[in-house]
Amino acid sequence: MWYDVVSAISNLVMAAFAVIAGIYAKGQYDEAKQQRELALRQEQEEHRKEAKQDELALQQQQQHEQELVEARNRALFLERQREIAHVEAFAVKNGRNYAVELSVPTEASIYEVRVWAQWPDAEFTCGHGSGNRDVCRNGSPHVAPGKNRPWRMIRPGNWLVSTTHARYPWTQPEPVSADASAWKPVYADEQHEVVELEFTDCYSNKWRRCYGRNEEGQYVQSFVLIAAKEPELADCVEA
């Protein structure tokens, strides 16, 4: 009988130890699981941080490269602009005669040249310049050499264009004579003034120079790129 009691007690103790061992093992397992999950989360967080840093580094690199490209393109634009910055068209007067002078102080020729000039109809012998107006321009100025016909090329130098008795309202550009002092620029005559000049440079980029007056009557001008053959200048084009 005592043997049975001792055996039962022994079994109960062993069962208790087994329960305690199970609880301890469960705790160890849960703790190990939590540690693994924590380690996994930390690893994922490190990967996320590394990926974010890589993304930021890539963005910074791309931004830097884009800034370099934009700086190079801007430098090229300024270089192209400087090459033809002094190409001008302006009204000149010799006694009672008026004309337009084209100044092309460049190393290369310019192409597809047009000049819009505010000019009295009476000075055009050939039909008073009728049919030679471009209504999309301010005040419908006369366009030389014609609305649909630009000068194909003008070489470097100073050229004179005046009204004509021939078939067309404007003469072809002629070199300014040696006695250039006979022709004086016209500054204050609103009846004789150039309002716009368009031409294409030797790189096939198209430029527009506009002359005018602001609301206060002050003289203003602009010089912009309106079409770019060189792809590097595409962002510099103005409408």
Side-chain angles (χ1 to χ4, degrees):
M1 181 176 178
W2 285 105
Y3 175 80
D4 293 336
V5 171
V6 171
S7 178
I9 294 173
S10 176
N11 289 336
L12 288 174
V13 170
M14 291 177 63
F17 274 113
V19 170
I20 293 172
I23 295 173
Y24 178 78
K26 179 67 167 57
Q28 290 291 98
Y29 173 81
D30 291 341
E31 183 179 355
K33 181 180 178 181
Q34 291 175 356
Q35 290 177 347
R36 288 194 301 271
E37 291 176 348
L38 178 60
L40 179 60
R41 287 195 298 269
Q42 289 176 340
E43 183 179 359
Q44 292 174 341
E45 181 65 17
E46 290 297 326
H47 288 164
R48 188 191 67 79
K49 289 181 179 179
E50 290 177 0
K52 186 65 175 178
Q53 290 174 349
D54 291 342
E55 181 182 357
L56 290 175
L58 179 60
Q59 290 177 351
Q60 291 174 349
Q61 180 182 357
Q62 291 175 338
Q63 182 179 355
H64 179 65
E65 292 175 351
Q66 180 64 26
E67 289 173 352
L68 289 177
V69 170
E70 291 175 356
R72 287 195 296 267
N73 292 349
R74 183 64 181 174
L76 179 62
F77 168 75
L78 294 175
E79 179 183 347
R80 295 287 184 261
Q81 191 179 58
R82 279 193 297 269
E83 291 179 18
I84 40 82
H86 298 293
V87 174
E88 298 275 3
F90 48 92
V92 291
K93 182 180 181 182
N94 182 359
R96 294 184 178 181
N97 298 317
Y98 290 87
V100 171
E101 183 172 333
L102 290 170
S103 178
V104 188
T106 58
E107 294 184 1
S109 301
I110 59 175
Y111 305 86
E112 303 298 315
V113 183
R114 291 181 181 176
V115 177
W116 283 265
Q118 205 66 52
W119 222 258
D121 288 349
E123 295 189 22
F124 292 90
T125 304
C126 179
H128 303 298
S130 61
N132 198 39
R133 290 173 171 270
D134 189 339
V135 295
C136 72
R137 295 296 188 266
N138 180 33
S140 299
H142 297 278
V143 57
K147 183 174 181 180
N148 298 316
R149 295 184 309 106
W151 286 301
R152 185 172 299 174
M153 180 184 73
I154 296 182
R155 299 183 65 185
N158 283 57
W159 304 85
L160 202 65
V161 180
S162 59
T163 56
T164 175
H165 296 274
R167 178 181 177 185
Y168 299 105
W170 298 97
T171 64
Q172 292 298 309
E174 298 179 354
V176 175
S177 64
D179 187 14
S181 60
W183 291 94
K184 305 291 185 182
V186 177
Y187 296 111
D189 187 345
E190 294 187 19
Q191 288 188 312
H192 300 85
E193 61 180 2
V194 172
V195 295
E196 190 167 305
L197 166 66
E198 280 187 2
F199 65 91
T200 299
D201 63 22
C202 62
Y203 306 100
S204 298
N205 303 308
K206 190 172 184 179
W207 301 84
R208 175 182 295 158
R209 188 185 294 279
C210 296
Y211 310 86
R213 291 179 174 82
N214 59 22
E215 296 179 355
E216 290 75 28
Q218 298 171 328
Y219 176 79
V220 294
Q221 72 147 328
S222 63
F223 184 40
V224 297
L225 179 67
I226 59 174
K229 183 69 173 180
E230 296 176 283
E232 296 88 350
L233 304 186
D235 292 337
C236 299
V237 172
E238 297 188 25

Coordinates of all heavy atoms in Angstrom, one line a residue, residues 2-79:
W2 N 1.9 1.2 0.9 CA 2.8 2.4 0.9 C 3.5 2.6 -0.5 O 3.8 3.7 -0.9 CB 3.8 2.2 2.0 CG 3.2 2.5 3.4 CD1 2.9 1.6 4.3 CD2 2.9 3.8 3.8 NE1 2.3 2.2 5.4 CE2 2.4 3.6 5.2 CE3 3.0 5.1 3.4 CZ2 2.0 4.6 6.0 CZ3 2.6 6.1 4.2 CH2 2.1 5.9 5.5
Y3 N 3.7 1.4 -1.1 CA 4.4 1.5 -2.4 C 3.5 2.2 -3.4 O 4.0 3.0 -4.2 CB 4.7 0.1 -2.8 CG 5.3 0.0 -4.2 CD1 6.6 0.3 -4.4 CD2 4.5 -0.3 -5.3 CE1 7.1 0.3 -5.7 CE2 5.0 -0.3 -6.6 CZ 6.4 0.0 -6.8 OH 6.9 0.0 -8.0
D4 N 2.2 1.9 -3.3 CA 1.3 2.5 -4.3 C 1.2 4.1 -4.0 O 1.2 4.9 -4.9 CB -0.1 1.9 -4.1 CG -0.1 0.5 -4.6 OD1 0.8 0.1 -5.4 OD2 -1.0 -0.3 -4.2
V5 N 1.2 4.4 -2.7 CA 1.1 5.9 -2.4 C 2.4 6.6 -2.8 O 2.3 7.7 -3.4 CB 0.9 6.0 -0.8 CG1 1.1 7.5 -0.5 CG2 -0.4 5.5 -0.4
V6 N 3.5 6.0 -2.5 CA 4.8 6.6 -3.0 C 4.9 6.7 -4.5 O 5.3 7.7 -5.0 CB 6.0 5.8 -2.4 CG1 7.3 6.3 -3.0 CG2 6.0 5.9 -0.9
S7 N 4.4 5.7 -5.1 CA 4.4 5.6 -6.6 C 3.5 6.7 -7.2 O 3.9 7.4 -8.1 CB 4.0 4.3 -7.1 OG 3.9 4.3 -8.5
A8 N 2.3 6.9 -6.5 CA 1.4 7.9 -7.0 C 2.0 9.3 -6.8 O 1.9 10.2 -7.7 CB 0.1 7.8 -6.2
I9 N 2.6 9.5 -5.6 CA 3.2 10.8 -5.3 C 4.4 11.1 -6.3 O 4.5 12.2 -6.8 CB 3.7 10.9 -3.8 CG1 2.6 10.8 -2.9 CG2 4.6 12.1 -3.6 CD1 3.0 10.7 -1.4
S10 N 5.1 10.0 -6.5 CA 6.2 10.2 -7.5 C 5.7 10.5 -8.9 O 6.3 11.4 -9.6 CB 7.0 8.8 -7.6 OG 8.0 8.9 -8.5
N11 N 4.6 9.9 -9.2 CA 4.0 10.2 -10.6 C 3.5 11.7 -10.6 O 3.7 12.4 -11.6 CB 2.9 9.3 -10.9 CG 3.4 7.9 -11.2 OD1 4.5 7.7 -11.6 ND2 2.5 6.9 -11.0
L12 N 2.9 12.1 -9.5 CA 2.4 13.5 -9.4 C 3.6 14.5 -9.5 O 3.5 15.5 -10.2 CB 1.7 13.7 -8.1 CG 0.3 13.1 -8.0 CD1 -0.3 13.2 -6.6 CD2 -0.6 13.7 -9.1
V13 N 4.7 14.2 -8.8 CA 5.9 15.1 -8.8 C 6.4 15.1 -10.2 O 6.8 16.2 -10.8 CB 6.9 14.6 -7.8 CG1 8.2 15.3 -8.0 CG2 6.4 14.7 -6.4
M14 N 6.5 13.9 -10.8 CA 7.1 13.9 -12.2 C 6.2 14.7 -13.2 O 6.6 15.4 -14.1 CB 7.2 12.4 -12.7 CG 8.3 11.7 -11.9 SD 8.4 9.9 -12.4 CE 8.9 10.1 -14.1
A15 N 4.9 14.5 -13.0 CA 3.9 15.2 -13.8 C 4.1 16.7 -13.6 O 4.0 17.5 -14.6 CB 2.5 14.8 -13.5
A16 N 4.3 17.1 -12.3 CA 4.4 18.6 -12.0 C 5.7 19.1 -12.7 O 5.7 20.2 -13.3 CB 4.5 18.8 -10.5
F17 N 6.8 18.3 -12.5 CA 8.0 18.7 -13.2 C 7.8 18.8 -14.7 O 8.4 19.7 -15.4 CB 9.1 17.7 -12.8 CG 9.8 18.1 -11.5 CD1 9.7 17.2 -10.4 CD2 10.6 19.2 -11.4 CE1 10.3 17.5 -9.2 CE2 11.2 19.5 -10.2 CZ 11.1 18.7 -9.1
A18 N 7.1 17.9 -15.3 CA 6.9 17.8 -16.7 C 6.1 19.1 -17.1 O 6.4 19.7 -18.1 CB 6.1 16.6 -17.1
V19 N 5.1 19.5 -16.3 CA 4.3 20.7 -16.6 C 5.2 21.9 -16.5 O 5.2 22.8 -17.4 CB 3.1 20.8 -15.6 CG1 2.5 22.2 -15.8 CG2 2.1 19.7 -15.9
I20 N 6.0 21.9 -15.4 CA 6.9 23.1 -15.2 C 7.9 23.1 -16.4 O 8.2 24.2 -17.0 CB 7.7 23.0 -13.9 CG1 6.7 23.1 -12.8 CG2 8.8 24.0 -13.8 CD1 7.2 22.9 -11.4
A21 N 8.5 22.0 -16.8 CA 9.4 21.9 -17.9 C 8.7 22.4 -19.2 O 9.3 23.1 -20.0 CB 10.0 20.5 -18.1
G22 N 7.5 21.9 -19.4 CA 6.8 22.4 -20.6 C 6.5 23.9 -20.6 O 6.7 24.5 -21.6
I23 N 6.1 24.4 -19.4 CA 5.9 25.8 -19.3 C 7.2 26.6 -19.6 O 7.3 27.6 -20.3 CB 5.4 26.2 -18.0 CG1 4.0 25.6 -17.8 CG2 5.4 27.7 -17.8 CD1 3.4 25.8 -16.4
Y24 N 8.3 26.1 -19.0 CA 9.6 26.7 -19.2 C 10.0 26.6 -20.7 O 10.5 27.6 -21.3 CB 10.7 26.0 -18.3 CG 12.1 26.6 -18.5 CD1 12.4 27.8 -17.9 CD2 13.0 25.9 -19.3 CE1 13.7 28.3 -18.1 CE2 14.3 26.4 -19.5 CZ 14.6 27.6 -18.9 OH 15.9 28.1 -19.1
A25 N 9.8 25.4 -21.3 CA 10.2 25.3 -22.7 C 9.3 26.2 -23.6 O 9.8 26.8 -24.5 CB 10.0 23.8 -23.1
K26 N 8.0 26.3 -23.2 CA 7.1 27.2 -24.0 C 7.6 28.6 -23.9 O 7.7 29.4 -24.8 CB 5.7 27.1 -23.4 CG 4.7 28.0 -24.1 CD 4.5 27.6 -25.5 CE 3.2 28.2 -26.1 NZ 3.3 29.7 -26.0
G27 N 8.0 29.0 -22.6 CA 8.6 30.3 -22.5 C 9.8 30.6 -23.3 O 10.0 31.6 -23.9
Q28 N 10.7 29.5 -23.2 CA 12.0 29.6 -24.0 C 11.6 29.8 -25.5 O 12.3 30.5 -26.2 CB 12.8 28.4 -23.7 CG 13.4 28.4 -22.4 CD 14.5 29.5 -22.2 OE1 14.2 30.5 -21.6 NE2 15.7 29.2 -22.6
Y29 N 10.7 29.0 -25.9 CA 10.3 29.0 -27.4 C 9.7 30.3 -27.7 O 10.1 30.9 -28.8 CB 9.3 27.9 -27.6 CG 8.7 27.9 -29.0 CD1 9.4 27.4 -30.1 CD2 7.5 28.5 -29.3 CE1 8.9 27.4 -31.4 CE2 6.9 28.6 -30.5 CZ 7.6 28.0 -31.6 OH 7.1 28.1 -32.9
D30 N 8.8 30.9 -26.9 CA 8.2 32.2 -27.2 C 9.3 33.3 -27.2 O 9.3 34.2 -28.0 CB 7.1 32.5 -26.1 CG 5.9 31.6 -26.3 OD1 5.8 31.0 -27.3 OD2 5.1 31.5 -25.3
E31 N 10.2 33.2 -26.2 CA 11.3 34.2 -26.2 C 12.1 34.1 -27.4 O 12.5 35.2 -28.0 CB 12.1 34.0 -24.9 CG 13.2 35.1 -24.7 CD 14.0 34.9 -23.5 OE1 13.6 34.0 -22.7 OE2 14.9 35.6 -23.3
A32 N 12.5 32.9 -27.8 CA 13.3 32.7 -29.0 C 12.6 33.2 -30.2 O 13.2 33.8 -31.1 CB 13.7 31.2 -29.1
K33 N 11.3 32.9 -30.3 CA 10.4 33.4 -31.4 C 10.4 34.9 -31.5 O 10.6 35.5 -32.5 CB 9.0 32.8 -31.3 CG 8.1 33.2 -32.4 CD 6.7 32.6 -32.2 CE 5.8 33.0 -33.4 NZ 4.4 32.5 -33.2
Q34 N 10.2 35.5 -30.3 CA 10.2 37.0 -30.2 C 11.5 37.6 -30.7 O 11.6 38.6 -31.4 CB 9.8 37.5 -28.8 CG 8.4 37.2 -28.4 CD 8.1 37.5 -27.0 OE1 9.1 37.9 -26.2 NE2 6.9 37.4 -26.5
Q35 N 12.6 36.9 -30.2 CA 13.9 37.4 -30.6 C 14.2 37.2 -32.1 O 14.7 38.1 -32.8 CB 15.0 36.6 -29.9 CG 15.1 37.0 -28.4 CD 16.1 36.1 -27.6 OE1 16.6 35.1 -28.2 NE2 16.4 36.5 -26.4
R36 N 13.7 36.1 -32.7 CA 13.8 35.9 -34.1 C 13.0 37.0 -34.9 O 13.4 37.6 -35.9 CB 13.3 34.5 -34.5 CG 14.3 33.4 -34.1 CD 14.0 32.1 -34.9 NE 12.6 31.7 -34.6 CZ 12.3 30.9 -33.6 NH1 13.2 30.4 -32.7 NH2 11.0 30.5 -33.4
E37 N 11.7 37.2 -34.4 CA 10.9 38.2 -35.0 C 11.5 39.6 -34.9 O 11.5 40.4 -35.9 CB 9.5 38.2 -34.4 CG 8.7 36.9 -34.7 CD 7.4 36.9 -34.0 OE1 7.2 37.8 -33.1 OE2 6.5 36.1 -34.3
L38 N 12.1 39.9 -33.7 CA 12.7 41.2 -33.5 C 13.9 41.3 -34.5 O 14.1 42.4 -35.1 CB 13.2 41.4 -32.1 CG 13.9 42.6 -31.7 CD1 13.0 43.9 -32.0 CD2 14.3 42.6 -30.3
A39 N 14.7 40.3 -34.5 CA 15.9 40.3 -35.4 C 15.5 40.5 -36.9 O 16.1 41.2 -37.7 CB 16.7 39.0 -35.3
L40 N 14.3 39.8 -37.3 CA 13.8 39.9 -38.6 C 13.4 41.3 -38.9 O 13.7 41.9 -40.0 CB 12.7 38.9 -38.8 CG 12.0 38.9 -40.2 CD1 13.1 38.6 -41.3 CD2 10.9 37.9 -40.3
R41 N 12.6 41.9 -37.9 CA 12.2 43.3 -38.1 C 13.4 44.3 -38.2 O 13.4 45.2 -39.0 CB 11.2 43.7 -37.0 CG 9.9 43.0 -37.0 CD 8.9 43.7 -36.1 NE 9.3 43.7 -34.7 CZ 8.9 42.7 -33.9 NH1 8.2 41.7 -34.3 NH2 9.3 42.7 -32.6
Q42 N 14.4 44.0 -37.4 CA 15.5 44.9 -37.4 C 16.3 44.7 -38.8 O 16.7 45.7 -39.4 CB 16.5 44.5 -36.3 CG 16.0 44.9 -34.9 CD 16.9 44.5 -33.8 OE1 17.7 43.5 -34.0 NE2 16.8 45.1 -32.6
E43 N 16.3 43.5 -39.2 CA 17.0 43.3 -40.5 C 16.2 43.9 -41.7 O 16.8 44.6 -42.6 CB 17.1 41.8 -40.8 CG 17.8 41.4 -42.1 CD 17.9 39.9 -42.3 OE1 17.5 39.2 -41.4 OE2 18.4 39.5 -43.4
Q44 N 14.8 43.8 -41.6 CA 14.0 44.5 -42.6 C 14.1 46.0 -42.5 O 14.2 46.6 -43.6 CB 12.5 44.0 -42.4 CG 12.3 42.6 -42.7 CD 10.9 42.1 -42.4 OE1 10.2 42.8 -41.6 NE2 10.4 41.0 -43.0
E45 N 14.2 46.5 -41.3 CA 14.4 47.9 -41.1 C 15.7 48.4 -41.7 O 15.8 49.5 -42.3 CB 14.2 48.3 -39.6 CG 14.4 49.8 -39.4 CD 13.2 50.6 -39.9 OE1 12.2 50.0 -40.3 OE2 13.4 51.9 -40.0
E46 N 16.7 47.6 -41.5 CA 18.1 48.0 -42.0 C 18.0 47.9 -43.5 O 18.6 48.8 -44.2 CB 19.1 47.0 -41.5 CG 19.4 47.1 -40.0 CD 20.1 48.5 -39.7 OE1 20.8 49.0 -40.6 OE2 19.8 49.1 -38.6
H47 N 17.4 46.9 -44.1 CA 17.2 46.9 -45.5 C 16.4 48.0 -46.1 O 16.8 48.6 -47.1 CB 16.6 45.5 -46.0 CG 17.4 44.3 -45.8 ND1 17.0 43.1 -45.8 CD2 18.8 44.2 -45.6 CE1 18.0 42.2 -45.6 NE2 19.1 42.9 -45.5
R48 N 15.4 48.4 -45.3 CA 14.6 49.5 -45.8 C 15.4 50.8 -45.7 O 15.3 51.6 -46.7 CB 13.3 49.7 -44.9 CG 12.3 50.7 -45.3 CD 11.3 51.0 -44.3 NE 11.9 51.7 -43.1 CZ 12.2 53.0 -43.1 NH1 11.9 53.7 -44.1 NH2 12.7 53.5 -42.0
K49 N 16.2 51.0 -44.7 CA 17.0 52.2 -44.6 C 18.1 52.2 -45.7 O 18.3 53.3 -46.3 CB 17.7 52.2 -43.2 CG 16.7 52.6 -42.0 CD 17.5 52.6 -40.7 CE 16.6 52.9 -39.6 NZ 17.3 53.0 -38.3
E50 N 18.7 51.1 -45.9 CA 19.7 51.0 -47.0 C 19.0 51.3 -48.3 O 19.6 52.0 -49.2 CB 20.3 49.6 -47.0 CG 21.2 49.3 -45.8 CD 21.8 47.9 -45.8 OE1 21.4 47.2 -46.8 OE2 22.5 47.6 -44.9
A51 N 17.8 50.7 -48.6 CA 17.2 51.0 -49.8 C 16.8 52.5 -50.0 O 16.9 53.1 -51.1 CB 15.9 50.1 -50.0
K52 N 16.4 53.1 -48.9 CA 16.0 54.5 -48.9 C 17.3 55.3 -49.1 O 17.3 56.3 -49.9 CB 15.4 54.9 -47.5 CG 14.9 56.3 -47.5 CD 13.7 56.5 -48.5 CE 13.2 57.9 -48.3 NZ 12.1 58.1 -49.3
Q53 N 18.4 55.0 -48.5 CA 19.6 55.7 -48.7 C 20.1 55.5 -50.2 O 20.6 56.5 -50.8 CB 20.7 55.2 -47.8 CG 20.5 55.6 -46.3 CD 21.5 54.9 -45.4 OE1 22.2 54.0 -45.7 NE2 21.5 55.3 -44.1
D54 N 20.0 54.3 -50.7 CA 20.3 54.1 -52.1 C 19.5 54.9 -53.0 O 19.9 55.5 -54.0 CB 20.2 52.6 -52.5 CG 21.3 51.8 -51.8 OD1 22.3 52.3 -51.3 OD2 21.1 50.5 -51.7
E55 N 18.1 55.0 -52.7 CA 17.2 55.8 -53.5 C 17.6 57.2 -53.5 O 17.6 57.9 -54.5 CB 15.8 55.5 -53.0 CG 14.7 56.3 -53.8 CD 13.3 56.1 -53.3 OE1 13.2 55.3 -52.3 OE2 12.4 56.7 -53.8
L56 N 17.9 57.7 -52.3 CA 18.2 59.2 -52.1 C 19.5 59.4 -52.9 O 19.7 60.5 -53.5 CB 18.4 59.5 -50.6 CG 17.0 59.6 -49.8 CD1 17.3 59.8 -48.4 CD2 16.1 60.6 -50.4
A57 N 20.5 58.5 -52.7 CA 21.8 58.7 -53.4 C 21.6 58.7 -54.9 O 22.2 59.5 -55.6 CB 22.7 57.6 -53.0
L58 N 20.7 57.8 -55.4 CA 20.4 57.8 -56.9 C 19.7 59.1 -57.3 O 20.1 59.7 -58.4 CB 19.5 56.6 -57.2 CG 19.1 56.4 -58.7 CD1 20.4 56.3 -59.5 CD2 18.2 55.2 -58.8
Q59 N 18.8 59.6 -56.5 CA 18.1 60.8 -56.8 C 19.0 62.0 -56.8 O 19.0 62.8 -57.7 CB 16.9 61.1 -55.8 CG 15.8 60.1 -55.9 CD 14.7 60.4 -54.9 OE1 14.9 61.1 -53.9 NE2 13.6 59.7 -55.0
Q60 N 19.9 62.0 -55.9 CA 20.9 63.1 -55.8 C 21.9 63.0 -57.0 O 22.2 64.1 -57.6 CB 21.7 63.0 -54.5 CG 20.9 63.4 -53.3 CD 21.7 63.1 -52.0 OE1 22.8 62.5 -52.0 NE2 21.1 63.6 -50.9
Q61 N 22.3 61.8 -57.4 CA 23.1 61.6 -58.5 C 22.4 62.1 -59.8 O 23.0 62.8 -60.6 CB 23.6 60.2 -58.7 CG 24.5 59.9 -59.9 CD 24.9 58.5 -60.0 OE1 24.5 57.6 -59.1 NE2 25.6 58.1 -61.0
Q62 N 21.2 61.7 -60.0 CA 20.4 62.0 -61.1 C 20.2 63.5 -61.2 O 20.3 64.2 -62.3 CB 19.1 61.3 -61.1 CG 19.2 59.8 -61.4 CD 17.8 59.1 -61.3 OE1 16.9 59.6 -60.6 NE2 17.8 57.9 -61.8
Q63 N 19.9 64.1 -60.0 CA 19.7 65.6 -60.0 C 21.0 66.3 -60.3 O 21.0 67.3 -61.1 CB 19.2 66.0 -58.6 CG 19.0 67.5 -58.4 CD 18.5 67.9 -57.0 OE1 18.3 67.0 -56.2 NE2 18.4 69.2 -56.8
H64 N 22.1 65.8 -59.8 CA 23.4 66.4 -60.1 C 23.7 66.3 -61.6 O 24.1 67.3 -62.3 CB 24.5 65.7 -59.3 CG 25.9 66.2 -59.6 ND1 26.3 67.5 -59.3 CD2 27.0 65.7 -60.2 CE1 27.5 67.7 -59.7 NE2 28.0 66.6 -60.2
E65 N 23.4 65.1 -62.2 CA 23.7 64.9 -63.6 C 22.7 65.8 -64.4 O 23.2 66.4 -65.4 CB 23.5 63.5 -64.0 CG 24.5 62.5 -63.4 CD 24.2 61.1 -63.7 OE1 23.1 60.8 -64.2 OE2 25.1 60.2 -63.4
Q66 N 21.5 66.0 -64.0 CA 20.5 66.8 -64.7 C 21.0 68.3 -64.6 O 20.9 69.0 -65.6 CB 19.1 66.7 -64.1 CG 18.1 67.6 -64.7 CD 17.8 67.2 -66.2 OE1 18.1 66.0 -66.6 NE2 17.4 68.1 -67.0
E67 N 21.5 68.7 -63.5 CA 22.0 70.1 -63.3 C 23.2 70.3 -64.2 O 23.3 71.4 -64.8 CB 22.3 70.3 -61.8 CG 21.1 70.4 -60.9 CD 21.5 70.5 -59.5 OE1 22.7 70.4 -59.1 OE2 20.6 70.8 -58.6
L68 N 24.0 69.3 -64.3 CA 25.2 69.4 -65.2 C 24.8 69.6 -66.7 O 25.3 70.4 -67.4 CB 26.1 68.2 -65.1 CG 26.9 68.1 -63.8 CD1 27.7 66.8 -63.7 CD2 27.9 69.3 -63.6
V69 N 23.8 68.8 -67.0 CA 23.2 68.8 -68.4 C 22.6 70.2 -68.7 O 22.9 70.9 -69.7 CB 22.2 67.7 -68.7 CG1 21.5 67.9 -70.0 CG2 22.9 66.4 -68.7
E70 N 21.8 70.7 -67.7 CA 21.2 72.0 -67.9 C 22.2 73.1 -67.9 O 22.0 74.1 -68.7 CB 20.2 72.2 -66.7 CG 18.9 71.3 -66.8 CD 18.1 71.5 -65.6 OE1 18.4 72.2 -64.6 OE2 17.0 70.8 -65.5
A71 N 23.2 73.0 -67.1 CA 24.3 74.0 -67.1 C 25.0 74.0 -68.5 O 25.3 75.1 -69.0 CB 25.3 73.8 -66.0
R72 N 25.3 72.8 -69.0 CA 26.0 72.8 -70.3 C 25.1 73.3 -71.4 O 25.5 74.0 -72.3 CB 26.4 71.3 -70.6 CG 27.6 70.8 -69.8 CD 28.1 69.5 -70.4 NE 27.2 68.4 -70.3 CZ 27.1 67.5 -69.3 NH1 27.9 67.6 -68.3 NH2 26.2 66.6 -69.4
N73 N 23.8 72.9 -71.3 CA 22.8 73.4 -72.3 C 22.7 74.9 -72.3 O 22.6 75.6 -73.3 CB 21.5 72.8 -72.2 CG 21.5 71.3 -72.5 OD1 22.5 70.8 -73.0 ND2 20.5 70.6 -72.1
R74 N 22.6 75.5 -71.0 CA 22.5 76.9 -70.8 C 23.8 77.6 -71.4 O 23.7 78.7 -72.0 CB 22.3 77.2 -69.4 CG 22.1 78.7 -69.1 CD 20.8 79.2 -69.7 NE 20.6 80.6 -69.4 CZ 19.6 81.4 -70.0 NH1 18.8 80.8 -70.8 NH2 19.5 82.6 -69.7
A75 N 24.9 77.0 -71.1 CA 26.2 77.6 -71.6 C 26.2 77.6 -73.1 O 26.7 78.6 -73.7 CB 27.4 76.9 -71.0
L76 N 25.7 76.5 -73.7 CA 25.7 76.5 -75.2 C 24.7 77.5 -75.7 O 25.0 78.2 -76.7 CB 25.2 75.1 -75.6 CG 25.1 74.9 -77.1 CD1 26.5 75.1 -77.8 CD2 24.6 73.5 -77.4
F77 N 23.6 77.7 -75.0 CA 22.6 78.7 -75.5 C 23.2 80.1 -75.4 O 23.1 80.9 -76.4 CB 21.4 78.6 -74.6 CG 20.4 79.8 -74.7 CD1 19.6 79.9 -75.8 CD2 20.4 80.8 -73.8 CE1 18.8 81.0 -76.0 CE2 19.6 81.9 -73.9 CZ 18.8 82.0 -75.1
L78 N 23.9 80.4 -74.3 CA 24.5 81.7 -74.2 C 25.6 81.9 -75.2 O 25.8 83.0 -75.8 CB 25.1 81.9 -72.8 CG 24.0 82.0 -71.7 CD1 24.7 82.0 -70.3 CD2 23.1 83.2 -71.8
E79 N 26.3 80.8 -75.5 CA 27.4 80.9 -76.6 C 26.8 81.2 -77.9 O 27.2 82.1 -78.7 CB 28.2 79.6 -76.6 CG 29.3 79.6 -77.7 CD 30.0 78.3 -77.7 OE1 29.8 77.5 -76.8 OE2 30.7 78.0 -78.7

